[in-house]
């Protein structure tokens, strides 16, 4: 795969911290994955057996135990896919923190963004957040490390969702301007105070009690590693708008700055 080497000495202290974090997260994920696999095998046994009446039925219901098991099996399969996705996210994050080279491939940015939106859409709906997609047609191809760019976009969207605890509107759009592809994420949340706007991309800075302060800084590092940039405009009480700019074509991309 084409690759972009990073500059030496990039946050070297982060590597052991990232490795420890990934290890701590992978242990419970492995346990969950194993139990899901066992549950899948048990459900498959029920689904493959002769039709059985349901243990409990509401009036007029005719759903068999096998049908209920089949529905549960589908949910288990979805969970297993998400566990696999989380494993990939952890691997990408660890590779990024270690300063390994970016694995650049030509990508359709609309498809990349849409896959992230598809992932967050169910949770957004549960939280009363309307998701609006507005993709520019026929965008130029961009060279990306897809896993890392998805993580950067996801981090910004998660930040937007957290800014709308009572629900709201999340708009995600793409466009092409002056040799760059733009990805804009806009929310109708609480907004960012002016005295915090110059700090939100600093590592470990967070105004949330449970925030790690790494989401937006990590997104910034990933985007800058691709030779791009992130900007933000925000008004308290009205919401925020983050814009990712990524360079086009096959030109030389800038290495990640320390």
């Amino acid at each position: 795969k084409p690759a972009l080497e990073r500059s030496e000495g990039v946050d070297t202290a982060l590597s052991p911290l990232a490795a420890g974090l990934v290890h701590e997260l992978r242990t419970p994920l492995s346990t969950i994955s194993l139990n899901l696999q066992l549950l899948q095998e048990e459900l498959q046994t029920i689904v493959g057996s002769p039709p059985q009446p349901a243990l409990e039925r509401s009036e007029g219901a005719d759903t068999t135990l096998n049908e209920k098991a089949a529905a549960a099996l589908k949910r288990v399969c979805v969970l297993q896919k998400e566990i696999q996705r989380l494993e990939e996210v952890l691997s990408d994050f660890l590779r990024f923190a270690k300063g390994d080279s970016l694995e650049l491939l030509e990508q359709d940015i609309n498809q990349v963004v849409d896959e992230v939106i598809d992932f967050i859409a169910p949770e957004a709906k549960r939280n009363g957040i309307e998701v609006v997609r507005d993709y520019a047609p026929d965008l130029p191809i961009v060279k990306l490390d897809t896993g890392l760019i998805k993580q950067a976009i996801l981090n910004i969207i998660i930040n937007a969702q957290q800014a709308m605890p009572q629900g709201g509107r999340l708009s995600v759009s793409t466009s092409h301007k002056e040799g760059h592809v733009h990805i804009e994420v806009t929310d109708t949340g609480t907004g960012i105070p002016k005295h915090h706007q110059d700090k939100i991309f600093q590592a470990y800075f967070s105004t949330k009690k449970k925030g790690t302060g790494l989401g937006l800084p990590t997104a910034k590092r990933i985007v800058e590693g691709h030779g791009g940039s992130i900007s933000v405009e925000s008004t308290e009480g009205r919401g925020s708008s983050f814009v990712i700019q990524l360079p086009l074509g096959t030109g030389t991309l800038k290495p990640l700055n320390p």
Side-chain angles (χ1 to χ4, degrees):
K1 297 178 180 180
L4 170 66
E5 296 296 334
R6 302 201 183 164
S7 56
E8 296 182 0
V10 178
D11 283 355
T12 53
L14 184 58
S15 295
L17 175 63
L21 175 63
V22 169
H23 173 74
E24 291 298 321
L25 291 176
R26 276 181 170 162
T27 299
L29 282 177
S30 296
T31 302
I32 295 171
S33 180
L34 176 60
N35 280 276
L36 284 173
Q37 183 177 350
L38 294 173
L39 181 58
Q40 180 185 27
E41 293 172 358
E42 292 177 4
L43 290 171
Q44 285 175 334
T45 300
I46 297 173
V47 172
S49 65
Q52 303 173 38
L55 298 178
E56 294 183 7
R57 296 191 182 187
S58 58
E59 186 177 351
D62 59 357
T63 304
T64 66
L65 180 60
N66 304 65
E67 291 172 334
K68 289 185 175 180
L73 183 59
K74 288 182 180 180
R75 294 189 180 97
V76 168
C77 290
V78 170
L79 290 174
Q80 287 176 319
K81 288 181 180 179
E82 294 307 321
I83 291 294
Q84 182 180 359
R85 196 196 73 83
L86 288 173
E87 287 280 2
E88 293 171 354
V89 167
L90 290 175
S91 296
D92 285 338
F93 174 71
L94 183 58
R95 175 167 54 84
F96 179 71
K98 284 182 175 179
D100 293 345
S101 59
L102 296 176
E103 298 177 351
L104 300 177
L105 294 175
E106 293 185 345
Q107 299 289 350
D108 176 354
I109 196 65
N110 284 345
Q111 180 179 346
V112 172
V113 173
D114 209 43
E115 288 175 359
V116 177
I117 300 303
D118 284 343
F119 173 69
I120 62 93
E123 181 181 2
K125 184 177 181 180
R126 287 194 299 270
N127 294 330
I129 297 173
E130 177 191 4
V131 179
V132 179
R133 315 182 200 208
D134 182 17
Y135 306 149
D138 302 323
L139 286 179
I141 294 298
V142 186
K143 296 190 74 174
L144 306 172
D145 187 310
T146 310
L148 289 178
I149 286 296
K150 282 184 177 180
Q151 187 61 52
I153 297 169
L154 180 62
N155 287 3
I156 293 173
I157 289 176
I158 289 174
N159 184 78
Q161 287 181 310
Q162 291 174 344
M164 296 183 287
Q166 307 302 322
R169 180 173 181 172
L170 175 69
S171 302
V172 183
S173 63
T174 60
S175 60
H176 170 216
K177 299 176 184 177
E178 300 177 353
H180 287 76
V181 163
H182 290 203
I183 305 165
E184 184 169 357
V185 178
T186 302
D187 65 69
T188 57
T190 55
I192 305 168
K194 285 188 177 180
H195 60 283
H196 285 163
Q197 291 181 19
D198 60 344
K199 301 176 183 178
I200 60 173
F201 293 112
Q202 296 177 7
Y204 304 112
F205 175 81
S206 177
T207 59
K208 308 177 185 71
K209 292 182 179 179
K210 296 183 179 180
T212 63
L214 289 175
L216 293 179
T218 298
K220 184 174 186 288
R221 291 184 61 199
I222 291 172
V223 172
E224 289 183 349
H226 286 76
S229 63
I230 294 183
S231 60
V232 60
E233 293 184 2
S234 184
T235 303
E236 282 192 83
R238 298 185 62 181
S240 304
S241 181
F242 287 80
V243 178
I244 295 175
Q245 297 185 57
L246 295 170
L248 302 176
T250 58
T252 301
L253 302 183
K254 299 177 182 178
L256 180 69
N257 293 321

